């Protein structure tokens, strides 16, 4: 009997947290900020803090500080 083997599941890796901050809308910026607040296991704590700082800057620029503070 022949056995049919389907595609093997691809191991899921976290997105690269150091990819460019290219959000064009407030919604995109808030999503990226949320991701940065969660942190990433593939970079150091210091790098996570830098990613969070950059994401916060972009979100504040696109959304305003009030909206960013409300999203915590």
């Amino acid at each position: 009997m022949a056995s049919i083997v389907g595609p093997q599941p691809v191991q899921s890796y976290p997105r690269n947290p150091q990819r460019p901050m290219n959000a064009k809308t407030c919604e995109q910026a808030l999503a990226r900020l949320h991701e940065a607040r969660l942190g990433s296991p593939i970079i150091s704590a210091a790098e996570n803090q830098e990613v969070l700082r950059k994401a916060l800057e972009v979100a504040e620029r696109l959304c305003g500080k009030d909206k960013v503070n409300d999203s915590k």
Side-chain angles (χ1 to χ4, degrees):
M1 224 189 265
S3 115
I4 299 175
V5 178
Q8 299 297 312
V10 176
Q11 187 174 8
S12 178
Y13 291 100
R15 293 185 74 181
N16 177 2
Q18 295 174 311
R19 66 191 183 279
M21 296 278 179
N22 58 2
K24 303 282 189 257
T25 67
C26 176
E27 183 176 287
Q28 291 171 340
L30 291 177
R32 188 68 185 271
L33 179 59
H34 175 73
E35 181 184 316
R37 284 180 172 149
L38 293 176
S40 174
I42 63 174
I43 59 176
S44 72
E47 290 168 317
N48 272 309
Q49 285 299 313
E50 181 63 16
V51 168
L52 177 58
R53 184 189 64 75
K54 289 178 183 176
L56 188 58
E57 285 178 2
V58 172
E60 286 178 347
R61 180 173 45 83
L62 291 174
C63 305
K65 287 186 179 188
D66 291 341
K67 179 128 182 169
V68 171
N69 291 331
D70 291 344
S71 73
K72 285 184 179 177

